[in-house]
Amino acid sequence: MDAIHSLLAGFGTALTPLNLLWALVGVTLGTLVGVLPGIGPALTVALLLPVTAKLPPVSAFIMFAGIYYGGMFGGSTTSILLNTPGESSSIITALEGNKMARRGRAAAALATAAIGSFVAGTIGTLLLTFAAPAIAEVAVQIPPSAKFALIMLAFVTISATFGGSPLRGLISLFFGLTIGLIGTDLQSGQARFTLGFPELLDGIDFVTVVIGLFAVGETLYVATRLRKDPGNVIKLEGNASMNREDWRRSWKPWLRGTALGFPFGAIPAGGAEIPTFLSYTLEKRLTPRPEEFGKGAIEGVAGPEAANNAAAAGVLVPLLTLGLPTSATAAILLAAFQQYGLQPGPLLFVTNGDLVWGLIASLYIGNVMLLALNLPLAPVWARLLLIPRPFLYAGILVFSTVGVYSLNNSVFDLFLLALFGIIGYGMRRFDFPVTPAIIGVILGPTAESQFRTALQQSNGDFSIFARQPLTALILTVVALALIVPPVMRRQAARRAAERRTTS
């Protein structure tokens, strides 16, 4: 009942005219960037961090939440009409959705994606409403040693999940951790890794790092691969709509996708990629029309899109209750919290309850807005795919530069922005995931603080990490996550070599 009362208070915050306006701005921007290939909600929120620094925190996060959910909605348009997934979680949507579009069923594909996103987003937000406060009550009692262990678990699993190589993920993570160490040690007062530059004594502003690695790095990477041909955009006739048979075939995949997506989003390194693939596989097994898969089966769009949006709601559970991001956008949202001097975690529900519940309430409102924007205005969003890419990315570069300079009016920050942009380009060029680096920058200082606090409470006794049961359990899982996958890959390679030898 407390959750319901708090949610009603949150609606009181979210339904003010100003916050409704910011919610509309957020969902519109989110749909826009979801439709445009290669941008996505993480990059957009990163670009807006300098701009929103003067906004009230509640309004800023209502807008960010709208961008986050809107990006999930809009990504399906690109996948279906252009066969170009804007996010990795939309790959499966492109498999069946583009085939439907080529058969003249683009309207049905867009409609089942939009309505499935609405259903899954609403159910996921309901689960978030009741799960987050319960987890926060338990999380308050977690000791610093266990919090450090949880961050280690997030580091390892996220590094292993993002990108094709766990080793590259760990290298990216350690790069981010190193950046996070730059500045003055708050306990000893010693300068660390400043290289003699006084501008680095206060550390590197994480907004500069995030925009450099995400926005500038992505822009440079796309510019080197820009095609003059914008791609074959399938024309959409009329609004997004479904007939009775489409509804009958879609509602069960929506529910099954939701059931798969939310738990995977809520666990460290869950994200939306795994449940979308699982949902597609499940629908392929359960459908009475398996021959349609690969040729444009509506179940192959409905289930994965629902899983994608349910995972987006699930990602907010560890972010708000533990301060642990499990996706790129969640990492940027964590940086946004820190920009306002807020630390997500169990105490956030106590110290900033109006912000948290206003944010959660805005997710319900944003879902309704997104459905109203995406069904009747689908042809408008489809036309955005014709925007010349050079204009788009030139604008991102200008916006990035102005935004970073406005933070401190510092030319030195612009040099850092260019440096991180080049590093971000190199990471994409050589297949190093950017997300672990961002999470290392943001969570590294928190991990160091929890580690030091645990040692201070134990008078410097390192055995606290083995004696505390929860800490020992989590660190055991971390060790297994580092050791078991390489061993399994080596055994699989050995068995494959033996089969080739015997054959």
Side-chain angles (χ1 to χ4, degrees), residues 73 76 80 93 108-118 254 301-302 305-306 309:
F73 268 74
S76 60
I80 291 168
T93 305
L110 289 171
T112 194
I115 298 170
S117 297
F118 170 77
W254 290 338
V301 178
E305 273 300 302
N309 281 267

Side-chain angles (χ1 to χ4, degrees), residues 26-406:
V27 296
T28 306
L29 270 176
T31 305
L32 171 66
V33 300
V35 168
L36 296 172
I39 299 182
L43 190 152
T44 307
V45 175
L47 283 175
L48 290 175
L49 286 178
V51 181
T52 56
K54 305 298 183 185
L55 277 181
V58 177
S59 300
F61 281 101
I62 284 176
M63 182 179 68
F64 289 154
I67 293 171
Y68 183 35
Y69 266 30
M72 300 295 110
F73 268 74
S76 60
T77 303
T78 309
S79 300
I80 291 168
L81 298 182
L82 191 58
N83 199 25
T84 304
E87 298 281 325
S88 57
S89 55
S90 299
I91 292 173
I92 293 298
T93 305
L95 287 179
E96 298 295 333
N98 189 253
K99 296 288 197 309
M100 287 182 68
R102 290 181 185 280
R103 288 168 48 193
R105 304 203 64 222
L110 289 171
T112 194
I115 298 170
S117 297
F118 170 77
V119 170
T122 302
I123 296 175
T125 307
L126 270 172
L127 294 172
L128 168 68
T129 301
F130 294 100
I135 294 173
E137 287 182 9
V138 175
V140 172
Q141 305 171 21
I142 297 177
S145 59
K147 291 179 181 177
F148 169 75
L150 276 172
I151 296 174
M152 290 297 104
L153 178 62
F155 282 161
V156 171
T157 52
I158 288 170
S159 299
T161 302
F162 286 88
S165 166
L167 179 60
R168 286 191 175 97
L170 287 172
I171 292 173
S172 174
L173 171 68
F174 281 110
F175 168 69
L177 290 173
T178 303
I179 299 301
L181 288 173
I182 294 175
T184 303
D185 185 346
L186 295 179
Q187 289 193 357
S188 67
Q190 294 293 318
R192 302 188 299 192
F193 304 113
T194 58
L195 303 177
F197 290 101
E199 294 89 348
L200 295 178
L201 287 173
D202 291 329
I204 298 176
D205 196 311
F206 55 79
V207 176
T208 304
V209 180
V210 166
I211 292 179
L213 292 179
F214 261 112
V216 180
E218 178 70 20
T219 301
L220 295 176
Y221 181 74
V222 171
T224 61
R225 283 160 173 71
L226 200 60
R227 298 179 302 171
K228 293 183 180 179
D229 178 17
N232 184 22
V233 181
I234 298 173
K235 189 176 180 181
L236 176 64
E237 300 290 346
N239 298 332
S241 59
M242 296 164 60
N243 57 36
R244 182 176 297 180
E245 176 67 11
D246 293 333
W247 280 92
R248 189 184 66 78
R249 293 177 60 180
S250 294
W251 73 271
K252 288 182 181 178
W254 290 338
L255 297 180
R256 286 192 288 259
T258 303
L260 283 171
F262 186 83
F264 272 93
I267 61 175
E273 292 80 6
I274 297 173
T276 54
F277 279 92
L278 288 177
S279 175
Y280 181 79
T281 304
L282 180 63
E283 297 307 324
K284 193 173 182 179
R285 288 183 178 179
L286 295 178
T287 182
R289 301 176 179 83
E291 70 280 358
E292 288 191 19
F293 273 76
K295 300 176 183 177
I298 195 169
E299 296 91 342
V301 178
E305 273 300 302
N308 184 18
N309 281 267
V315 160
L316 296 176
V317 175
L319 176 65
L320 294 176
T321 59
L322 300 172
L324 294 179
T326 60
S327 71
T329 309
I332 308 301
L333 288 174
L334 178 59
F337 273 106
Q338 293 179 354
Q339 176 176 269
Y340 284 101
L342 303 171
Q343 180 57 47
L347 294 178
L348 189 68
F349 285 79
V350 178
T351 58
N352 295 92
D354 57 337
L355 187 153
V356 174
W357 289 107
L359 170 63
I360 293 174
S362 75
L363 297 177
Y364 292 97
I365 299 167
N367 259 318
V368 176
M369 288 181 173
L370 283 165
L371 192 64
L373 281 173
N374 278 268
L375 288 180
L377 298 179
V380 177
W381 300 120
R383 290 180 65 85
L384 292 174
L385 294 171
L386 302 176
I387 293 177
R389 301 281 288 281
F391 296 163
L392 184 65
Y393 285 97
I396 290 175
L397 268 182
V398 172
F399 201 77
S400 302
T401 305
V402 173
V404 168
Y405 183 77
S406 68

Side-chain angles (χ1 to χ4, degrees), residues 440-451:
V441 172
I442 296 170
L443 278 186
T446 305
E448 180 186 13
S449 173
Q450 297 295 344
F451 180 76

Side-chain angles (χ1 to χ4, degrees), residues 421-444:
I422 294 170
I423 293 172
Y425 164 75
M427 292 176 75
R428 285 168 174 78
R429 171 67 179 80
F430 297 103
D431 199 25
F432 283 86
V434 175
T435 302
I438 297 297
I439 289 176
V441 172
I442 296 170
L443 278 186

